[in-house]
Amino acid sequence: MNRASVAMGGFTILELIIVIAIIAILASLILNTAGYIQKKGASSRAETEIAALTVALENFKADNGDYPHGTNVNGANPPSSNTFLLTSLMPTNGKVYFEFNKSMTN
């Protein structure tokens, strides 16, 4: 039996372990990159929503002369509920300054 026929017979345990280790390293790199991209997207979305809310508040102030006034709920300081923003910036009738989606109003 020559060496060529032995090499064609299969993989050694050491070769399989090395291949599995390489695959595991590559998979962890991909998962880390995917997590980073997801966090970066969430951060970017939050920055965009804050900028849009800032513009809505400035437009409200330009139209009404002042920012929306909130009230303290149960004497909490600062206010523990910001529902006054929802009712001021997205009223059921009149000018809508900002469209809140369901995830923002929970």
Side-chain angles (χ1 to χ4, degrees), residues 38-53:
Q38 187 176 17
K39 288 178 185 176
K40 184 74 173 168
S43 175
S44 177
R45 180 179 175 188
E47 289 173 4
T48 302
E49 289 175 354
I50 290 169
L53 187 56

Side-chain angles (χ1 to χ4, degrees), residues 6 12 27 32-33 36-37 41 43 45 49 53 59 72 75-76 78 82 84 91-92 98:
V6 172
T12 65
N32 280 340
T33 303
Y36 170 76
I37 291 171
S43 175
R45 180 179 175 188
E49 289 175 354
L53 187 56
N59 288 339
N72 289 343
N82 293 323
F84 71 95
T92 54
F98 188 81

Side-chain angles (χ1 to χ4, degrees), residues 16 19 39 50 66 80-81 89 101:
L16 290 174
V19 168
K39 288 178 185 176
I50 290 169
D66 199 6
S80 61
S81 174
L89 299 179
N101 61 30

Side-chain angles (χ1 to χ4, degrees), residues 22-70:
I22 291 171
I23 290 171
I25 290 169
L26 291 174
S28 68
L29 290 173
I30 290 172
L31 290 175
N32 280 340
T33 303
Y36 170 76
I37 291 171
Q38 187 176 17
K39 288 178 185 176
K40 184 74 173 168
S43 175
S44 177
R45 180 179 175 188
E47 289 173 4
T48 302
E49 289 175 354
I50 290 169
L53 187 56
T54 301
V55 169
L57 286 168
E58 291 301 323
N59 288 339
F60 183 91
K61 181 182 177 185
D63 289 348
N64 299 301
D66 199 6
Y67 295 111
H69 293 285

